Amino acid sequence: MKAIFNTIAGDPHGIQIKETTQPQPEDNQVLVQVAAVALNVVDMTNFKNYYKTNSVKSQTKLLDKLYVHGEGKILGADFAGTVKKVGKNVRKFKIGDAVMGISDDYLNGSWAEYIAFSESNVVLKPERLSFEEAAAIPTTGGTALTAIEKADIQSGQNILINGATGGVGLYALQITKALGAKVTAVVSGRNAEFVRKYGADKVVDYHQVDITQDKNETTFDVIVAINGYHPLYRYKKMLDKQGNYVAIGGVKQAIAAMLLGKISTIGSQKQMGAISLFSAREDWLANLQNIINQSDFQPYLDRVFSWQDVDQAMAYGCTQHLKGKVVMKID
Ligand SMILES: NC(=O)c1ccc[n+]([C@@H]2O[C@H](COP(=O)([O-])OP(=O)(O)OC[C@H]3O[C@@H](n4cnc5c(N)ncnc54)[C@H](OP(=O)(O)O)[C@@H]3O)[C@@H](O)[C@H]2O)c1
């Protein structure tokens, strides 16, 4: 079979489709013929700098050694496809099932014709979604859901999502709406109509208004801050008395929220924190699947590439201001 390998740390020219041995499922695993895979931040981080500088930083070469899909490994984590074989302890799936999922602890890459992953990391693909749409969900949908669970979002609450057009933000918006909350979405003005279609009740253009400094703005029960973008103390002022703040991504802001969040809220009922690196849990894919089946949750695919054009897909994925997700068809 063929798979996409990372052959030169941090250099996108080293991303190649190569022949390799087809995996065999262990007792608790399913073998899936992959139809589509998603690009996630974790797949692109080590390559992003190359597009700006045409070189690989020595720091990136070092980081690549710690990276789960470093030099010599198959890239990718999220996938959708069809079950071709099941291990002897597998109970949830049979041959021919259409499924979506995520690699076990990100260890084995999913950008391959066949993958063997634990059944706990796989669920049936919602029927109304295509393979490409389903592949676009696991990591970013799981990240959005983890943040929403951490913030304990409830029906009727007033929620701010700062950065609602990207992969995580658009899922956070849709899951929050499915829970019956009211959402203010902060995005570029050109994306205002786009996020309204996905349920935003109010839209703020961050090019026009800094919401954290706007004296006319209301306070919120929950703030989901994608990439932070503003200092923690300003978000704190925007929280209701018992409000929750969760940062996603934005390394400095997320670390600040994790380290200072507890200290800065001592003596108040507010809570401030961040979600750390997302890791798959037994129930999260099933929870996402329920939300998809019970609401009009719909992934938005910014671009769909053939995996033969992985170089173009990576270059595109590494640009700024994408809407929703970038996926590749394994054709
Ligand atoms: N913890 C985990 O396991 C995990 C998993 C996946 C992703 N992440 C992290 O989550 C973060 C989000 O990724 P993503 O793919 O959803 O999104 P992204 O592409 O980083 O999206 C950024 C969003 O922020 C908006 N934005 C840009 N500049 C802004 C500003 N100055 N003020 C307010 N909003 C601004 C953008 O709006 P416009 O495009 O409309 O301008 C867009 O909605 C990344 O940092 C990623 O590393 C973490």
Side-chain angles (χ1 to χ4, degrees), residues 246-309:
V246 182
I248 306 176
V251 179
K252 277 191 218 148
Q253 289 91 338
I255 292 175
M258 276 191 253
L259 296 179
L260 301 176
K262 278 216 164 63
I263 300 169
S264 66
T265 49
I266 289 173
S268 85
Q269 290 174 291
K270 297 180 182 182
Q271 290 187 35
M272 301 190 84
I275 58 162
S276 50
L277 189 66
F278 167 68
S279 62
R281 282 191 334 248
E282 182 86 35
D283 61 342
W284 67 272
L285 263 178
N287 290 349
L288 269 177
Q289 193 193 32
N290 281 340
I291 291 165
I292 297 163
N293 287 335
Q294 286 163 23
S295 71
D296 48 11
F297 181 103
Q298 184 67 33
Y300 178 83
L301 304 184
D302 188 305
R303 287 276 294 270
V304 179
F305 291 86
S306 158
W307 77 323
Q308 311 290 339
D309 299 324

Side-chain angles (χ1 to χ4, degrees), residues 162 223 225 228 230-239 245:
N162 199 61
I223 298 175
H230 301 285
L232 210 57
Y233 72 89
R234 288 212 211 133
Y235 282 119
K236 188 181 162 200
K237 282 190 190 157
M238 299 180 72
L239 282 176
Y245 165 91

Side-chain angles (χ1 to χ4, degrees), residues 27-39:
D27 293 351
N28 65 335
Q29 289 184 325
V30 290
L31 178 79
V32 175
Q33 181 173 16
V34 182
V37 295
L39 273 73

Side-chain angles (χ1 to χ4, degrees), residues 108-165:
N108 298 309
S110 67
W111 295 2
E113 286 177 305
Y114 293 90
I115 51 179
F117 292 156
S118 300
E119 70 167 337
S120 58
N121 279 1
V122 179
V123 289
L124 289 174
K125 177 179 79 63
E127 274 180 24
R128 69 180 170 82
L129 299 187
S130 65
F131 283 115
E132 290 80 16
E133 289 168 337
I137 294 173
T139 295
T140 29
T143 305
L145 184 66
T146 305
I148 285 162
E149 287 176 350
K150 185 175 172 77
D152 193 22
I153 291 179
Q154 303 291 329
S155 176
Q157 284 187 324
N158 197 21
I159 314 297
L160 172 67
I161 299 179
N162 199 61
T165 29

Side-chain angles (χ1 to χ4, degrees), residues 10-13 15 39 44-56 310-319:
D11 184 343
H13 296 102
I15 299 174
L39 273 73
M44 296 181 288
T45 308
N46 284 1
F47 301 101
K48 266 192 171 162
N49 188 58
Y50 195 95
Y51 295 103
K52 288 186 206 141
T53 63
N54 260 336
S55 62
V56 182
V310 57
D311 49 343
Q312 290 171 37
M314 278 301 248
Y316 187 72
C318 286
T319 56

